[in-house]
Amino acid sequence: MATEVIATEGEAIYAWMIWILPFIAALIIPAVGKFSKISTGRIAVGFAAMSAISAAVLLPMALDGHEIHDQIDWISALGLKAGVLADPLSIIMANVVGWISFLIMCYSTGYMKGDRDIVRFWFWMMFFIGSMQLIVLSDNLLQLFFGWEGVGLASYALISFWYRDKKKHHVGQEGRSALGVMEYFSPTHAGMKAFIMTKVGDIMMLAGMFLIFAFAGTFGLRELVNETGWAVEMSAQGLLVPAFVLLFGGAMGKSAQFPLNEWLLEAMTGPTAVSALIHAATMVKAGVFLVARIGPIVFALAAAGILADQFFEIVAWVGAITALLLATQGMVNPEIKKVLAYSTGSQIGYMMMALGVAGLSQQYVDGYTAGFFHLISHAMFKASLFMAAGSLLHVVGSRFMTDMGGLKKQMKKTYAFMWAAGLGLMGAPFITTGFWSKDAIFAAVYESGSEWALPIFLIAVLTAVITAFYTTRMIGMVFFGKNSKHIEKMESEGHHIHEAPKSMWIPYGILAVLTIGIGLVGLSAEEGIHHLFGEYLEHSFGIHVAHEVAKSEFLGGLNPIALGASLIAFATGFGLGYIFYIGRWVDPAKFVNSNIVFYSMHKLFLNRWYLNAVVYWGFVIAPLWVARGIWRYFERTAIDTGMNIGFEKAVGWSAKVVQGTQTGVSQSYLYIFGAGLLFVVLILLL
């Protein structure tokens, strides 16, 4: 089934312009930058605004449950068409990307002011936004993949933006190592690491795409839904689940999910505006969007008797493992941007968990809505937190929270906005979007009826406790207590600690206010999204929604188990964080060193569960050793010695042998001739 398409030619143009406008800006900016660097920022902000407005124009249509599907000829020889698919899913996502990107661009005008490479910055930022919107609005997997690679290319350029590798742009603690692997990375190293690790996922995704194309004969998303013969054939050959898992591999790479998560932390070498863009509304959300795009296709196939539950199990468990794994690391890291990066990966895990569990439930829309609602709420409060962190770095001149402290008096606006956004991340009850979206995830997992429901639910709750703890820890270390020695030194040298300029605090202030504002009507917002996606899934994919069940259990009244878990998780995590870092009743360092168990756990988490070290040993250090061994023992011994010296000696010896046959006696020559003739005859006979 397909949603009724109600669109004018003008509406279709808006859908195209959402992703075309940023690319136009990217083309204009280098030329304008030769005459006026200031104007490049205005162009970037202006075109980002126009792209966001184009998305907003389509929002009423999405809320009515309609879609735009417009196509043009692309590669005629292969029968391929390019197109936009603006349905409720993509339009809402396009608005999230568009408006948050616009606010980040406004923020960047202050944060990047005076940078020598500002033209290059604006170019790649607009290229990034255009590529992300192309992913969101593409109507086929091949076109989507072009946007996918565009995002990857831009992320490499932006993560390694400060390619001169000055120490102030490094991440990690200088001199610290884990299993002999240094935990201190330059921007160029971080950019290359992100590029390579995400490419692992991209190759998997490409393989999955072409495997589906080989059977379906199309990359079109709507065509894959309308005709299921390809899925029947793939399922019969045992290739259906592997194909979709390969597609999910691309999502694992882009969204930094286990085991392709280790690039995310080093990505903090880029400017904070880049971190906000990549880790709030765009790149890491691309994987979630992809699963939200293909998940209904997989689930709808079950109605035709084509089961692929293993796909959803993998998605759910990858999300659950990632959520817990990265949350534990955020508890102990001293760098503010790294804490937020760990948090991003962990919260993306929540979204994946919800989308995976959705496919294991009879009520697919519950998990689907919960996962996507958390994507929206996370985009708001995490973008706000990243930009606020950038203001702190801008003012304090250090990325370490131990170099901050006591800043609530000097930076009152940032203090208030970080509390608002931080409460969203913690899931503060009833007043934040984060609470409603997390509660929805808890309820979807608990009510799924899956055999994995209980362990995944426990992981989700434990992760929520840890999230509330490290968020409170971050706010406590930055704003409470006494000023650090670093700040005292700055003030003694005449550097006054002050609030960030308006161009910086207004954007993250808006998002922080929205986190609370939407949170106050969060249940109604959740109900609206649930209803919208319920109709979307039923009309577009034929996925039946049990409206009466949804009304009585999921929305009409909160699930008491899920609600209780949400309240307990917040209270426990916030309480522990308050004891250690706001009230300062217990010294964290003394507590960690008081017990071998706590000390070992702290060391394990601080060293990233040694996973980063294992990755380097397995894929960098060990291959280099093998390469050096090959060079040393094969090339130098076999090639240089064997081929050069050995060949020389062999030729010399042969010459002596030949020389020894030159006796001058004709009888000897006849013997040799006869022996040679006999040898030739024997060869021919054989």
Side-chain angles (χ1 to χ4, degrees), residues 539-686:
H539 294 157
S540 295
F541 302 96
I543 298 174
H544 179 66
V545 178
H547 297 284
E548 67 280 358
V549 174
K551 185 176 180 180
S552 65
E553 294 184 12
F554 188 74
L555 295 175
L558 296 173
N559 182 289
I561 303 296
L563 178 61
S566 298
L567 296 174
I568 292 171
F570 172 77
T572 305
F574 178 78
L576 290 172
Y578 189 94
I579 290 171
F580 284 103
Y581 297 100
I582 295 181
R584 311 285 174 116
W585 301 337
V586 180
D587 187 337
K590 291 182 179 179
F591 179 80
V592 168
N593 292 318
S594 66
N595 188 291
I596 186 65
V597 176
F598 296 146
Y599 175 80
S600 301
M601 290 176 63
H602 182 274
K603 189 175 181 180
L604 178 67
F605 299 158
L606 189 62
N607 288 325
R608 303 160 65 167
W609 290 75
Y610 297 99
L611 292 175
N612 187 64
V614 170
V615 168
Y616 272 87
W617 275 103
F619 297 98
V620 179
I621 299 174
L624 284 175
W625 278 1
V626 173
R628 291 190 185 107
I630 292 172
W631 174 78
R632 184 176 298 170
Y633 299 108
F634 180 77
E635 185 175 348
R636 291 179 63 181
T637 303
I639 304 299
D640 293 345
T641 304
M643 294 296 293
N644 296 337
I645 299 174
F647 188 73
E648 179 186 352
K649 291 183 177 180
V651 170
W653 180 82
S654 300
K656 289 180 179 180
V657 172
V658 173
Q659 185 180 4
T661 62
Q662 305 302 311
T663 62
V665 181
S666 57
Q667 191 175 3
S668 300
Y669 297 152
L670 288 173
Y671 282 137
I672 294 172
F673 176 78
L677 184 62
L678 181 61
F679 180 74
V680 171
V681 171
L682 289 172
I683 293 293
L684 292 174
L685 289 173
L686 291 173

Side-chain angles (χ1 to χ4, degrees), residues 214 373 386 410 543:
F373 186 33
F386 263 115
Q410 296 102 322
I543 298 174

Side-chain angles (χ1 to χ4, degrees), residues 355-370:
L355 293 175
V357 167
L360 303 175
S361 170
Q362 295 297 318
Q363 187 74 347
Y364 182 77
V365 68
D366 290 354
Y368 192 85
T369 300

Side-chain angles (χ1 to χ4, degrees), residues 313-333:
E313 289 177 356
I314 292 171
V315 173
W317 273 110
V318 166
I321 292 169
T322 306
L324 181 60
L325 188 71
L326 296 189
T328 58
Q329 298 173 52
M331 294 171 62
V332 299
N333 201 276

Side-chain angles (χ1 to χ4, degrees), residues 166-177:
K166 295 181 179 179
K167 284 191 175 183
K168 66 178 181 179
H169 298 139
H170 284 50
V171 294
Q173 295 174 277
E174 189 173 5
R176 205 180 72 79
S177 63

Side-chain angles (χ1 to χ4, degrees), residues 33 73 95 118 207 224 278 303 322 342 366 391 403 422 434 504 525 578 610:
D73 289 332
N95 274 276
I118 189 65
L224 292 175
I278 291 177
T322 306
Y342 284 119
D366 290 354
S391 293
D403 289 334
M504 292 174 68
Y578 189 94
Y610 297 99

